[in-house]
Amino acid sequence: MLGQIQQLDSSLERAVEAYDLANVKLAHIKHDLSVNTHNLVVAKRSLKNAQRELSSRLVDLYTSEGQDSSLAVLLGSSSLDDLLSKMDAVDRVSQQDSLVLRQVTFFRTEVQHRQRELKHAHAEQIQVVAERAAARASIQSQLSQRRALLSSIHNQIAQLRIQEQQRQAELQRELQQRLAAQNATAGQNALAQTVGVAPTPPIGPAPPPSNGGVVAIAEHYLGTPYVWGGASPAGFDCSGFTMYVYAQVGVSLPHNAAAQYGYGSPVSRGSLAPGDLVFFDGLGHVGIYVGGNSFIHAPHTGDVVKISSLTGWYASTYVGARRL
């Protein structure tokens, strides 16, 4: 039964990530729609102005009685200098007419292009909204299944929760000890540099310079409930948690585990350092490595932000890591 629940949690997490990805796509589409709508208005206004200018020029040509034609210039010239001057004027007028015509053609094409872009964006928006609705329906259905399974093994779940609370307390103590040791080492090294003494070697793996505060920030949210689609201290899902934590140190990430895997640089399993993002289950889950073969994450519905070991199911579904 517990195996079924774990499989359901994995499937549920994938549905949540699909929902998050649809929201990311939808935000991009809304931005594109806004930009294209504005550009279409500008293009239409420019086309109208160019057409007005072309119409005015056509009227001028029609009412000029041919006075700027080459023949009229030739017959009406009083000297060679007069002829060259008038021919130059005719050439400039001809170039202006060509420019106006090109502007009309360009802006008409631009309007048609923007209209096609808007039509495509609207169609894509409809599709993404449908994808998000399907993901939401899948989540709600799986949540119902999960509640039914949990109710059938209520006593066993209660005992497991007690054990997990004890385990979390121990993992948190270990993490705080590592952070304290690293901070102490950093303080000693700063003092040593001041007085010209060789720095003390670090105890355990030191966090990368850019990610030094990430683990401490992540630890602050231990116990925060899992909320699908959540990306705030009121509740997190897995990618919402990593996105929120990294935003605190000025790093912007998308709200989707698979998309986050495209950021930073790859890190081998043996070179993991605190602050690295670790990915599981076909990029359906993400957490933050904290050292000691452990990571902090928002696991699944019904759980809270906690520390887990890179063993068991997480080891078997491990995909890779990225350093930001």
Side-chain angles (χ1 to χ4, degrees):
M1 188 68 73
L2 290 175
Q4 284 181 265
I5 292 174
Q6 188 173 54
Q7 288 179 354
L8 188 58
D9 285 339
S10 174
S11 176
L12 182 58
E13 184 71 4
R14 286 174 177 273
V16 169
E17 287 301 300
Y19 176 84
D20 289 341
L21 181 59
N23 283 335
V24 171
K25 288 181 179 178
L26 199 56
H28 286 310
I29 291 170
K30 286 180 178 177
H31 173 73
D32 290 344
L33 279 170
S34 176
V35 171
N36 271 307
T37 299
H38 171 74
N39 289 340
L40 178 59
V41 171
V42 172
K44 282 184 174 180
R45 187 183 301 124
S46 300
L47 175 59
K48 188 175 181 179
N49 292 336
Q51 287 174 327
R52 186 185 299 113
E53 187 175 351
L54 179 60
S55 297
S56 175
R57 182 61 193 140
L58 289 173
V59 171
D60 290 343
L61 289 174
Y62 181 75
T63 58
S64 66
E65 299 180 356
Q67 292 307 307
D68 60 349
S69 68
S70 297
L71 180 60
V73 168
L74 179 61
L75 295 176
S77 300
S78 59
S79 66
L80 180 59
D81 287 342
D82 186 33
L83 173 64
L84 292 175
S85 177
K86 288 182 177 179
M87 287 299 291
D88 182 55
V90 169
D91 184 55
R92 287 199 301 272
V93 169
S94 178
Q95 289 177 0
Q96 181 183 5
D97 291 344
S98 297
L99 176 61
V100 171
L101 188 58
R102 285 198 301 271
Q103 286 178 335
V104 170
T105 303
F106 170 79
F107 287 123
R108 181 184 291 118
T109 303
E110 179 72 3
V111 167
Q112 293 170 346
H113 169 70
R114 293 298 175 185
Q115 287 174 332
R116 286 194 301 270
E117 288 290 314
L118 281 173
K119 184 178 180 181
H120 173 74
H122 278 300
E124 190 176 7
Q125 184 180 41
I126 291 170
Q127 179 183 347
V128 171
V129 168
E131 289 175 358
R132 187 172 68 165
R136 179 188 292 272
S138 175
I139 291 167
Q140 291 172 338
S141 172
Q142 292 183 64
L143 282 173
S144 297
Q145 295 178 47
R146 192 178 190 277
R147 281 192 289 268
L149 287 172
L150 287 174
S151 64
S152 67
I153 52 171
H154 177 76
N155 292 335
Q156 188 177 357
I157 291 296
Q159 182 60 35
L160 288 173
R161 281 178 177 166
I162 293 173
Q163 294 175 3
E164 179 62 18
Q165 288 172 356
Q166 294 171 345
R167 181 171 170 275
Q168 281 299 305
E170 180 59 30
L171 287 170
Q172 190 169 356
R173 278 194 297 272
E174 292 175 0
L175 174 58
Q176 289 171 345
Q177 288 171 0
R178 280 196 299 273
L179 290 173
Q182 289 165 1
N183 290 336
T185 300
Q188 291 170 5
N189 287 342
L191 179 61
Q193 290 176 354
T194 302
V195 299
V197 179
T200 304
I203 300 174
S210 61
N211 296 350
V214 169
V215 174
I217 293 170
E219 183 193 13
H220 181 72
Y221 298 102
L222 285 169
T224 301
Y226 181 98
V227 174
W228 62 272
S232 76
F236 297 104
D237 60 20
C238 72
S239 57
F241 175 63
T242 52
M243 179 181 76
Y244 182 86
V245 169
Y246 261 97
Q248 308 311 301
V249 294
V251 178
S252 178
L253 293 173
H255 193 169
N256 178 258
Q260 290 180 9
Y261 194 69
Y263 285 66
S265 55
V267 183
S268 68
R269 177 77 178 270
S271 301
L272 285 174
D276 292 341
L277 293 178
V278 283
F279 296 84
F280 310 90
D281 197 23
L283 300 181
H285 189 66
V286 61
I288 299 172
Y289 189 71
V290 297
N293 202 40
S294 298
F295 65 102
I296 187 170
H297 63 141
H300 50 71
T301 296
D303 213 331
V304 297
V305 173
K306 66 181 185 181
I307 302 168
S308 294
S309 297
L310 259 170
T311 56
W313 185 84
Y314 292 111
S316 66
T317 64
Y318 182 79
V319 174
R322 307 292 290 190
R323 182 166 297 163
L324 304 178

